Amino acid sequence: MARRSRKPTSDGVKGPSSALTEFLRSEGITDAFRQRREREAAGLRATATPEAEDEGSGDAGGGVATDGVRGTTWFTPTRVATGGATSGRDNEENENVENGDEEEEEEEDEEIIQMRRAARRKARAATRGSARTRKRSAPGGGSDGSGDSDDDDDYNENDDDDDDDLGADMKKFGEMDTCVDCGDKFELSVYSRFIKEKAGYLCSSCNHSLRERERKAKANQLSARRKRKKVAQALLNKTTIKIAKLQDVCIKKITENIEDVHALGDIGQMNLSKISTILSKNRSLNNKTISLFLSPDMKHIEFWDCSNVDSDSLNKIASFCPNLESLTLFMCGQLHNDNLQYFASNLKNLTSLSLNGPFLISDPMWQKYFHAVTGRLSKFEVRNTHRFGNDSLHSMLQCCGQDLTSLKLSRLDGVNTVESYSGISSHLGENKLDELEISYPTSEDLVTDDMMIELLRKTGASLASLNVDGCSALTERFLVEGVAKHCRNLTRLSMANLDQVSNAGFAEAFDNFAKVNAGGLLEVNLTKCTALGDRAVYALLNHSCQTLVELSINSLYKVSKDFLSQILTSDTHQYKVLLKEKAQKDESVTFFHHVQLPLLTYLDASFVRAVDNEILTLIGDSCPKLQIIEVYGDNRCNGKALFDEGLMVIGRQSDDL
């Protein structure tokens, strides 16, 4: 038998107790509980004793009594039979039991006591609710209050300590009650449902109907959630929800059963590219699925997520595809030195190499690789690695610089000297470069205006794409003296985060650029060029409005609503006519001509304060081929803007995804 806890001392310190005692106490089996059960048993014995005496069992040592209802037999002590002789001892025992209850109450944890009190209050609330319902339905229990009594007066917080008194009107299971919904009489059971709002119980039929309604509501919520998820995924993919092509459905099924795809035979290079893109997007490209895309006749491979492809599987690329000419491996964190060396020895025809995240390739290995492929590479791209250092860049330029037509260097923390970047122009061939990207150097001071002007002077005539994102030390000088003078064939310009390019300087550069480049730009990215405003954007659109396909003015908060309203409104509109007359009389008023954007398909106008529902409607009307517009952070863009159904607006706060 478990040892009882010692009685608390006067200073409130309790003695030790066994693990069994603590477990029984947590389950509600305490000394007070056992003593209460003993009192109940004693009461039954006291009831059964006279019957035993009538049957002649008046033995001084005790007798046997039988309960006529349950057929249970108890041993009856002598003190029960002798009545008054033992009443003093009974009182003494009851007093001891009550003292034991008090001691146990003190031993109980305060949290358990509070939980019990809360349960008793809830039971009383249910009792009062049932009582109110019955009184309302009873005769004389009208709304005038003549038949009502104040049930709330029955509640007293001091009653919380009473374990047994839960109200005189408390109904028990098996009793009859009135359904608060349909009003029918029914028998209370453990399955009866209490409705808090109506302060009463439901019958079984009403409870069943309520469950059905809740089940349907939950199913509708799940269906709506799936639809919102589908819409959200479509927005992230910048696509619309429509009936998929049979080819796309087949490709989706192939990706779901990619391990058995060899049974289909040849499915075409274009479809293989789509499948590899889908697998990369779903992080499903791994050591097993990569073998599907490897064959001796492959000349171009693009794997956009190689996170789950290990070093041995990457070696299969050079083993199975010896005729490969172009290789793109992104997120290739498991590419080792041995892999790069194996590529150099086995891929003799490789002319284009693009790697993103090859942080396991060491600086000496890079140098060794470039010496092995001298004269082969014409396109080189490397991103996101700290081990491609100054010596690696110098080795690459020295061995392959004269043959390069595309060079992309981004986020190379190992290239950390001005001399390394300045030496790029001296090793490149004269006007041979088509694509140039130098973005996000480890320090903004590494890429300067003078360095970029010299580089553009040597390569600008052939340059079609220029990316200087994150080179925040650049000012309008590299535009005025570099781009505007030398880049006559430029079609793509990205200069995100160049916050030192001034509004007037940018406008001047593009006014001069129009004299050199008559064709216009196709893609322009001005994200977070926060110094640019109306004049800069107007100069850009004046030059390239007829050719622009993609444009980003993200975070150009200096662009005004008046400017956007003018360029998106026809000059024959009454508003523009009056404004032109006013501008002729008042020099402080600026007039902007209407700008047409017939080819624009993508516009990022996020965090442009001037963009609201009115401007959004004008943009939709002025750009007939616009398919996607992003308006993140434009708080005044909501569902009230009017535009064609084919236009996808992404980023409105009112959109429920």
Side-chain angles (χ1 to χ4, degrees):
M1 181 174 178
R3 184 176 66 232
R4 286 197 59 183
S5 302
R6 289 200 290 264
K7 183 176 180 180
T9 60
S10 59
D11 58 356
V13 180
K14 298 180 181 180
S17 57
S18 66
L20 178 59
T21 302
E22 293 297 331
F23 171 75
L24 294 175
R25 181 181 301 160
S26 65
E27 297 295 327
I29 305 175
T30 62
D31 288 340
F33 173 79
R34 290 192 293 271
Q35 291 163 0
R36 186 160 50 250
R37 295 296 295 270
E38 291 174 359
R39 289 201 305 272
E40 294 175 357
L44 292 174
R45 287 195 297 270
T47 304
T49 300
E51 298 176 1
E53 290 177 350
D54 293 340
E55 293 176 3
S57 57
D59 188 1
V64 177
T66 303
D67 185 285
V69 178
R70 295 186 176 91
T72 307
T73 304
W74 298 278
F75 174 77
T76 306
T78 305
R79 63 181 178 86
V80 176
T82 57
T86 59
S87 60
R89 286 196 298 269
D90 289 344
N91 294 334
E92 183 179 354
E93 282 187 354
N94 291 337
E95 184 177 356
N96 291 337
V97 169
E98 291 176 358
N99 293 335
D101 289 345
E102 294 177 358
E103 293 175 7
E104 188 63 23
E105 184 70 20
E106 293 177 357
E107 292 181 0
E108 287 183 349
D109 186 70
E110 181 66 23
E111 183 178 358
I112 298 177
I113 296 174
Q114 294 297 331
M115 292 173 62
R116 289 180 178 176
R117 290 178 177 175
R120 288 193 289 270
R121 284 195 292 269
K122 185 180 294 186
R124 289 191 181 93
T127 303
R128 290 196 299 274
S130 300
R132 290 194 192 98
T133 304
R134 289 193 299 272
K135 289 179 180 179
R136 291 192 191 100
S137 60
S143 59
D144 58 353
S146 58
D148 292 341
S149 63
D150 191 0
D151 295 317
D152 293 337
D153 295 340
D154 295 338
Y155 174 71
N156 186 355
E157 290 186 358
N158 297 328
D159 294 340
D160 286 343
D161 297 329
D162 189 358
D163 287 339
D164 301 322
D165 183 15
L166 296 179
D169 294 330
M170 183 67 178
K171 283 187 174 292
K172 300 179 180 179
F173 297 137
E175 296 184 3
M176 299 302 294
D177 198 0
T178 302
C179 177
V180 295
D181 194 4
C182 64
D184 293 342
K185 296 288 186 179
F186 71 99
E187 183 179 343
L188 281 176
S189 66
V190 293
Y191 301 106
S192 299
R193 183 171 180 177
F194 182 80
I195 304 299
K196 184 177 180 181
E197 293 78 8
K198 299 182 178 181
Y201 288 90
L202 294 178
C203 63
S204 58
S205 59
C206 293
N207 189 18
H208 178 73
S209 301
L210 180 59
R211 283 202 305 269
E212 288 296 323
R213 292 196 298 270
E214 291 175 344
R215 189 179 295 111
K216 290 180 181 179
K218 187 175 181 180
N220 293 336
Q221 290 176 358
L222 292 176
S223 178
R225 187 181 303 170
R226 284 192 293 267
K227 289 180 181 179
R228 291 196 301 270
K229 184 177 180 180
K230 190 175 182 180
V231 172
Q233 187 165 356
L235 286 177
L236 290 176
N237 296 336
K238 296 181 180 178
T239 58
T240 55
I241 300 177
K242 57 184 179 181
I243 299 177
K245 297 179 181 178
L246 178 60
Q247 184 184 33
D248 295 335
V249 174
C250 295
I251 289 175
K252 184 177 179 180
K253 286 298 181 183
I254 289 174
T255 56
E256 293 174 356
N257 304 275
I258 191 65
E259 296 183 0
D260 302 325
V261 76
H262 290 288
L264 297 177
D266 187 13
I267 59 177
Q269 179 63 38
M270 184 178 295
N271 291 332
L272 281 176
S273 299
K274 288 184 178 180
I275 293 173
S276 67
T277 302
I278 295 174
L279 290 179
S280 297
K281 191 171 185 179
N282 297 332
R283 289 285 178 94
S284 300
L285 188 68
N286 51 40
N287 299 330
K288 293 182 179 179
T289 58
I290 194 174
S291 300
L292 168 68
F293 310 100
L294 306 179
S295 62
D297 59 340
M298 295 287 292
K299 293 187 177 182
H300 305 279
I301 288 181
E302 294 179 346
F303 294 148
W304 300 103
D305 188 345
C306 303
S307 304
N308 298 323
V309 182
D310 61 19
S311 178
D312 293 337
S313 297
L314 290 173
N315 269 344
K316 294 179 181 179
I317 297 175
S319 300
F320 296 168
C321 310
N323 299 318
L324 204 62
E325 297 178 359
S326 175
L327 176 62
T328 299
L329 301 176
F330 273 39
M331 302 180 72
C332 54
Q334 300 191 55
L335 187 70
H336 288 267
N337 289 337
D338 296 340
N339 299 124
L340 194 61
Q341 185 174 5
Y342 194 60
F343 290 169
S345 59
N346 281 40
L347 300 177
K348 302 294 185 179
N349 300 325
L350 190 67
T351 59
S352 175
L353 178 64
S354 299
L355 301 177
N356 187 346
F359 49 80
L360 294 181
I361 307 297
S362 64
D363 198 342
M365 187 62 232
W366 280 116
Q367 300 177 48
K368 186 176 181 180
Y369 173 78
F370 291 129
H371 282 92
V373 298
T374 300
R376 296 188 204 169
L377 287 181
S378 61
K379 296 182 179 181
F380 179 71
E381 176 181 359
V382 60
R383 301 174 179 272
N384 294 296
T385 175
H386 63 285
R387 292 191 172 183
F388 189 93
N390 301 318
D391 295 336
S392 301
L393 178 59
H394 180 74
S395 178
M396 184 272 296
L397 293 172
Q398 189 176 19
C399 298
C400 310
Q402 292 295 323
D403 301 316
L404 286 179
T405 60
S406 176
L407 176 62
K408 297 181 180 181
L409 308 174
S410 179
R411 301 185 188 276
L412 303 179
D413 294 346
V415 183
N416 51 21
T417 63
V418 177
E419 292 75 18
S420 297
Y421 283 106
S422 300
I424 295 177
S425 60
S426 60
H427 291 87
L428 295 179
E430 188 79 23
N431 295 328
K432 292 188 64 175
L433 209 61
D434 295 330
E435 295 178 304
L436 174 62
E437 177 179 351
I438 300 177
S439 61
Y440 299 102
T442 186
S443 175
E444 65 174 16
D445 299 330
L446 297 177
V447 180
T448 62
D449 287 330
D450 294 332
M451 187 272 286
M452 285 302 304
I453 291 170
E454 177 61 25
L455 187 56
L456 294 176
R457 185 196 62 78
K458 188 171 185 179
T459 63
S462 60
L463 207 60
S465 176
L466 175 62
N467 188 331
V468 289
D469 292 349
C471 301
S472 54
L474 296 178
T475 67
E476 63 270 15
R477 275 193 60 219
F478 101 94
L479 289 173
V480 175
E481 301 178 23
V483 175
K485 286 186 176 180
H486 306 293
C487 300
R488 57 177 178 267
N489 293 315
L490 194 67
T491 58
R492 293 175 176 85
L493 175 63
S494 182
M495 42 184 289
N497 297 287
L498 269 61
D499 53 359
Q500 295 192 49
V501 178
S502 67
N503 188 39
F506 186 94
E508 179 187 354
F510 268 83
D511 289 340
N512 298 331
F513 188 47
K515 303 173 184 177
V516 177
N517 186 309
L521 300 178
L522 302 179
E523 299 176 11
V524 178
N525 182 7
L526 303 178
T527 299
K528 294 186 178 180
C529 296
T530 53
L532 302 185
D534 297 344
R535 286 190 58 191
V537 177
Y538 187 67
L540 168 65
L541 297 180
N542 243 353
H543 171 257
S544 304
C545 62
Q546 297 295 326
T547 58
L548 269 178
V549 177
E550 296 185 8
L551 173 63
S552 174
I553 56 173
N554 188 313
S555 302
L556 301 192
Y557 58 86
K558 291 186 177 181
V559 175
S560 65
K561 181 178 180 180
D562 179 66
F563 163 72
L564 294 176
S565 299
Q566 289 193 48
I567 66 172
L568 297 173
T569 304
S570 174
D571 290 343
T572 60
H573 193 278
Q574 184 66 22
Y575 156 71
K576 292 292 290 291
V577 173
L578 295 176
L579 185 64
K580 187 175 183 180
E581 294 177 356
K582 187 177 180 180
Q584 292 173 351
K585 299 177 182 179
D586 187 357
E587 294 182 356
S588 63
V589 177
T590 306
F591 178 81
F592 297 102
H593 289 281
H594 179 223
V595 175
Q596 295 180 345
L597 299 166
L599 302 180
L600 190 66
T601 60
Y602 170 80
L603 174 63
D604 185 358
S606 302
F607 303 100
V608 179
R609 299 171 182 173
V611 177
D612 56 11
N613 288 331
E614 180 183 355
I615 298 300
L616 189 57
T617 303
L618 290 175
I619 292 174
D621 295 338
S622 303
C623 306
K625 292 192 176 181
L626 189 63
Q627 297 178 358
I628 300 172
I629 178 172
E630 297 188 19
V631 292
Y632 291 101
D634 300 340
N635 298 332
R636 290 178 291 177
C637 288
N638 51 44
K640 296 181 180 180
L642 302 176
F643 44 81
D644 295 338
E645 293 183 358
L647 178 60
M648 182 183 299
V649 181
I650 305 175
R652 291 178 298 179
Q653 293 185 0
S654 60
D655 292 337
D656 185 9
L657 300 181

